[in-house]
């Protein structure tokens, strides 16, 4: 049996990426040191059909700057899903605000709007909707709730390049959305992120914060007006981002193909559920995810061990944030905790072969049929 290691994720780097990066390395200095950054922002804006975009060193940095621009801080509460990567909550904590964890919906793994309504207090300022694994949040309901209570809706779209709601790119609905270009994400710049918004004033505020507090158009040199951040993306990384964004449709399509291939090979009858795509939505399918039905007795831990023994990189579903040491090792919200125990992410890199997809599904089937 072929035992060549199957990676969980890996970027697709073609001649286009190499030529853009080589050009940036050779020429992107002096008066050209922002050329690729500006081009990346423009290309990304066009791809998402959103008027403003600001590059950042990471999605975490973009989220931190966006929350800071909203002046969220001590005494404020921010609502987010318990199933999340730590990056979504870290900036909330850094700003001194209180995160409030809400359960997820069992099908999309995204924040439960009913849970959000219950969690609102006079201190609530914002709701962060994370489009987990490329699934699409219940955006219309979340926006209604936010509007009714005077809250700001923010989208963590780090995992949702290519995901759409009613034909519009996710990340472009809330006051701002943020994206990640970490090496594991659908578009890669090594490390990197982007903040997008439709709000001109908000854009100006984040732009100033992102430039160490120096306002655009300020004539006086070295004149920061507020304490800002240094979360910039380099022109070299932006060159990679330009090339990848030009290939965005192709990269997303391949993600969707891989998910479809898994779906074909792993039927519901096998006792697994996968990423859902509700009517009116399109998922970017960043991570094909399997949730084993309780009847199978299969656990995330056991499946990942099984993958490891066959040189396949599988990954456990995110632990509920409230179950982490920083938040008191709590039991976790019920659905978030339950799904985390019995769900895994499957490999899905661009150049994956049919034989590799087959090997992953055979491993899943063998483990399920081995009895539990
Ligand atoms: C990857 C990820 C982030 C953080 O992205 P970085 O670019 O690594 O900061 C934030 N939120 C979610 C949901 C992610 O998956």
């Amino acid at each position: 049996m072929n035992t060549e290691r199957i990676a969980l994720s890996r970027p697709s780097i073609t001649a286009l990426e190499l030529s853009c990066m080589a050009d940036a390395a050779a020429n992107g200095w002096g008066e050209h040191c922002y050329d690729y950054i500006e081009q990346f922002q423009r290309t990304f804006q066009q791809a998402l059909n959103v008027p403003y975009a600001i590059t950042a060193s990471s999605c975490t940095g973009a989220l931190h700057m966006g929350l800071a621009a909203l002046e969220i801080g001590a005494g404020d509460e921010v609502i987010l899903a318990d199933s999340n990567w730590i990056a979504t909550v870290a900036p909330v904590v850094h700003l001194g605000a209180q995160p409030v964890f809400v359960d997820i919906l069992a099908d999309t793994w995204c924040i439960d709007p009913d849970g959000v309504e219950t969690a609102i207090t006079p201190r609530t300022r914002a709701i962060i909707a994370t489009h987990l694994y490329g699934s699409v949040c219940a955006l219309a309901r979340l926006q209604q709730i936010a509007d009714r209570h005077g809250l700001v809706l923010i989208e963590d779209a780090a995992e949702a390049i290519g995901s759409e709601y009613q034909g519009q790119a996710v990340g472009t609905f809330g006051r701002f959305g943020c994206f990640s270009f970490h090496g594991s994400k659908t578009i890669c710049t090594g490390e990197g992120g982007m903040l997008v918004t439709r709000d001109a004033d908000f854009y100006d505020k984040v732009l100033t914060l992102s430039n160490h507090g120096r306002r655009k158009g300020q004539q006086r040199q070295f004149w920061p007006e507020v304490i800002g951040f240094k979360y910039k993306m380099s022109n070299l990384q932006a060159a990679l981002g330009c090339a990848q964004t030009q290939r965005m449709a192709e990269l997303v399509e391949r993600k969707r193909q891989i998910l479809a291939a898994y779906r074909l090979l792993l039927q519901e009858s096998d006792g697994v559920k996968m990423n859902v795509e509700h009517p009116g939505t399109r998922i970017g399918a960043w991570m094909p995810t399997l949730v084993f039905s309780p009847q199978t007795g299969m656990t995330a831990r056991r499946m990942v061990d099984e993958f490891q023994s066959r040189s396949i990189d599988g990954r456990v579903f995110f632990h509920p944030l409230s179950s982490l040491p920083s938040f008191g090792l709590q039991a976790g919200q019920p659905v978030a905790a339950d799904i985390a125990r019995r769900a895994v992410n499957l490999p899905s890199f661009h150049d994956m072969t049919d034989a590799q997809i087959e090997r992953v599904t055979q491993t899943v089937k063998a483990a399920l049929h081995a009895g539990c």
Side-chain angles (χ1 to χ4, degrees):
M1 190 183 124
N2 182 357
T3 52
E4 187 200 338
R5 184 146 212 103
I6 301 178
L8 185 80
S9 58
R10 188 200 296 163
S12 163
I13 304 299
T14 65
L16 180 66
E17 282 81 357
L18 296 178
S19 73
C20 288
M21 282 192 288
D23 180 52
N27 307 308
W29 309 105
E31 61 184 332
H32 298 296
C33 75
Y34 298 118
D35 287 3
Y36 276 108
I37 294 171
E38 284 164 9
Q39 193 189 325
F40 184 23
Q41 288 169 172
R42 273 198 309 275
T43 313
F44 201 74
Q45 281 163 217
Q46 281 159 7
L48 269 70
N49 196 16
V50 66
Y52 305 106
I54 299 174
T55 53
S57 54
S58 68
C59 178
T60 312
L63 187 56
H64 197 174
M65 291 192 292
L67 290 167
L70 293 169
E71 294 171 25
I72 284 174
D76 295 331
E77 290 175 359
V78 175
I79 295 174
L80 68 158
D82 206 12
S83 298
N84 244 316
W85 177 224
I86 191 74
T88 312
V89 71
V92 174
V93 174
H94 288 316
L95 289 166
Q98 180 71 38
V100 176
F101 304 117
V102 159
D103 213 348
I104 54 168
L105 296 169
D107 57 352
T108 60
W109 318 312
C110 293
I111 196 162
D112 179 354
D114 290 334
V116 171
E117 294 220 81
T118 311
I120 292 170
T121 76
R123 291 175 179 269
T124 309
R125 288 283 316 280
I127 303 163
I128 304 178
T130 301
H131 302 288
L132 208 73
Y133 302 131
S135 286
V136 176
C137 291
L139 284 169
R141 266 216 61 206
L142 292 170
Q143 188 64 65
Q144 269 171 16
I145 294 168
D147 290 346
R148 192 166 348 109
H149 295 272
L151 310 177
V152 180
L153 180 65
I154 296 163
E155 292 178 82
D156 180 341
E159 306 179 352
I161 293 271
S163 297
E164 294 175 359
Y165 183 81
Q166 311 286 5
Q168 182 182 326
V170 306
T172 68
F173 286 83
R175 177 70 58 81
F176 73 90
C178 50
F179 291 86
S180 172
F181 310 122
H182 176 261
S184 66
K185 300 293 182 0
T186 302
I187 285 180
C188 154
T189 62
E191 292 280 359
M194 189 84 82
L195 180 147
V196 303
T197 183
R198 299 183 177 282
D199 183 324
D201 293 335
F202 181 78
Y203 167 74
D204 283 339
K205 211 162 171 184
V206 177
L207 198 62
T208 299
L209 286 177
S210 78
N211 196 22
H212 259 324
R214 292 174 292 182
R215 188 168 48 79
K216 194 176 179 179
Q218 166 63 259
Q219 296 301 313
R220 206 163 165 188
Q221 276 190 323
F222 290 120
W223 194 251
E225 295 176 22
V226 292
I227 295 291
F229 295 92
K230 187 64 193 297
Y231 287 157
K232 290 194 181 190
M233 175 180 280
S234 71
N235 199 56
L236 288 164
Q237 291 166 303
L240 187 46
C242 282
Q244 290 262 289
T245 307
Q246 282 175 47
R247 295 180 56 219
M248 183 171 145
E250 176 205 343
L251 295 173
V252 171
E253 192 44 45
R254 182 66 188 135
K255 282 283 187 187
R256 288 176 55 84
Q257 273 174 8
I258 294 170
L259 175 62
Y262 278 128
R263 240 194 252 289
L264 212 60
L265 293 165
L266 292 167
Q267 305 294 335
E268 291 246 335
S269 57
D270 293 325
V272 296
K273 279 205 169 28
M274 302 188 67
N275 316 51
V276 297
E277 187 168 57
H278 284 309
T281 71
R282 175 188 194 256
I283 58 172
W286 174 59
M287 281 261 151
T289 300
L290 288 184
V291 183
F292 301 106
S293 74
Q295 289 75 30
T296 64
M298 180 54 73
T299 65
R301 203 94 76 4
R302 243 193 54 224
M303 194 65 243
V304 169
D305 286 346
E306 203 64 43
F307 281 144
Q308 282 305 328
S309 72
R310 305 203 185 192
S311 299
I312 296 168
D313 290 338
R315 200 166 94 166
V316 300
F317 197 91
F318 290 125
H319 304 288
L321 291 176
S322 62
S323 75
L324 300 179
S326 311
F327 302 107
L329 298 166
Q330 300 167 64
Q333 293 288 324
V335 181
D338 174 40
I339 290 184
R341 274 191 290 272
R342 52 187 176 91
V344 293
N345 303 130
L346 305 180
S348 65
F349 55 93
H350 192 80
D351 297 322
M352 204 173 175
T353 64
D354 290 348
Q356 288 173 318
I357 292 174
E358 187 93 21
R359 214 175 101 200
V360 173
T361 54
Q362 286 306 335
T363 302
V364 172
K365 286 183 182 177
L368 285 172
H369 295 147
C372 305

